[in-house]
């Protein structure tokens, strides 16, 4: 039995964008052939533009699907997971929390790195996601990892008391939560971290969504955090600048430190 961590860019997305490109091209050809005058020009232009947009997105989704695949050559997702987990140290008998655990990849990687500690993976899962609690448990079993458990919970308000965990982690989660102040989401995750605990939060920290993260890091330090680092993971750590631009991941950043 092998683990199945899924692909962060599912094949259904690739197929959907390719189908939309094909339909747009077909409509462009049809309206160019069957209409005349201003209607022909307008409709042909609209569907030609739609085709170009969907074709470009299809090309991106194919490249991203290949890069993130656990079965391909690049294995970018596995590199990210292992890179984040490598920074997570949990004392013997301690407990770590992975927020938005998805298929359980980071939770399990941290559990493997800290065999004398426990890891908890929390997620809302639900409709619209290819991940589930059952999938996480199956992956842990396939990896032979027993020091891990998975629970349902929301990153917006975690179902845990203050300072419950010796480490907190997250990978590519918060940018998917729309309509929320992202810095507040991070603070909610840090709320459950014990004094002296380690945090490693990796995400697409787009300024439009995250705001000024350097100022946020300074605020954390001013409030008593022992160590706070912002690490650009799109500058040779997990990927090159060129690859990051091609995959639209140039804002990939790891917020790492000690409370």
């Amino acid at each position: 039995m092998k683990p199945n961590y899924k692909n962060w860019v599912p094949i259904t997305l690739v197929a959907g964008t390719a189908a939309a490109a094909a339909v747009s091209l077909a409509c462009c050809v049809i309206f160019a052939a069957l209409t005349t005058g201003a209607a022909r020009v307008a409709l042909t232009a609209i569907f030609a533009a739609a085709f170009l947009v969907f074709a470009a997105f299809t090309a991106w989704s194919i490249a991203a699907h290949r890069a993130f695949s656990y079965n391909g050559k690049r294995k970018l997702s596995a590199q990210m997971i292992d890179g984040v987990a490598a920074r997570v140290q949990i004392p013997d008998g301690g407990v770590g929390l992975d927020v938005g655990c998805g298929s359980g990849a980071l939770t399990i990687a941290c559990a493997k790195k800290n065999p004398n500690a426990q890891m908890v993976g929390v997620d809302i899962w639900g409709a619209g996601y290819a991940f589930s609690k059952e999938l996480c448990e199956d992956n842990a079993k396939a990896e032979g990892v027993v020091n891990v458990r998975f629970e349902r919970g929301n990153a917006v308000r975690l179902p845990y008391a203050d300072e419950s965990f010796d480490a907190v982690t997250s990978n590519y989660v918060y940018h998917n939560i729309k309509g929320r102040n992202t810095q507040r989401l991070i603070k909610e995750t840090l709320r459950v971290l014990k004094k002296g605990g380690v945090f490693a939060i990796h995400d697409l920290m787009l300024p439009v969504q995250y705001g000024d993260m350097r100022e946020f890091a300074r605020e954390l330090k001013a409030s008593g955090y022992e160590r706070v680092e912002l690490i650009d993971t799109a500058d040779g750590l997990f990927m090159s600048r060129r690859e990051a631009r091609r995959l639209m991941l140039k804002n990939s950043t790891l917020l790492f430190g000690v409370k």
Side-chain angles (χ1 to χ4, degrees), residues 176-247:
N176 289 313
I177 303 175
K178 307 303 181 184
R180 297 284 180 173
N181 182 301
T182 314
Q183 292 185 7
R184 289 181 184 173
L185 291 176
I186 294 178
K187 288 181 179 179
E188 169 61 11
T189 294
L190 297 178
R191 175 185 65 79
V192 303
L193 180 64
K194 293 179 181 178
K195 180 69 175 178
V198 174
F199 58 91
I201 298 170
H202 185 229
D203 199 10
L204 286 173
M205 296 187 182
L206 298 162
V208 68
Q209 188 172 3
Y210 267 85
D212 188 340
M213 285 302 291
R214 295 193 181 279
E215 179 58 30
F216 180 70
R218 286 191 288 267
E219 288 178 8
L220 291 180
K221 288 182 179 179
S223 66
Y225 282 77
E226 181 180 332
R227 181 181 174 190
V228 182
E229 294 181 49
L230 280 171
I231 303 169
D232 185 352
T233 63
D235 191 20
L237 182 59
F238 295 156
M239 68 200 95
S240 67
R241 282 289 180 197
R242 181 178 180 181
E243 183 178 33
R245 287 194 298 270
R246 182 168 60 89
L247 297 177

Side-chain angles (χ1 to χ4, degrees), residues 57-78:
F57 195 63
T58 299
W60 171 83
S61 62
I62 291 172
H65 180 82
R66 289 175 175 172
F68 284 120
S69 174
Y70 275 83
N71 299 316
K73 294 181 179 180
R74 179 64 179 90
K75 293 182 173 66
L76 179 57
S77 52

Side-chain angles (χ1 to χ4, degrees), residues 14-27:
V14 178
T17 56
V23 170
S24 298
L25 180 60
C27 289

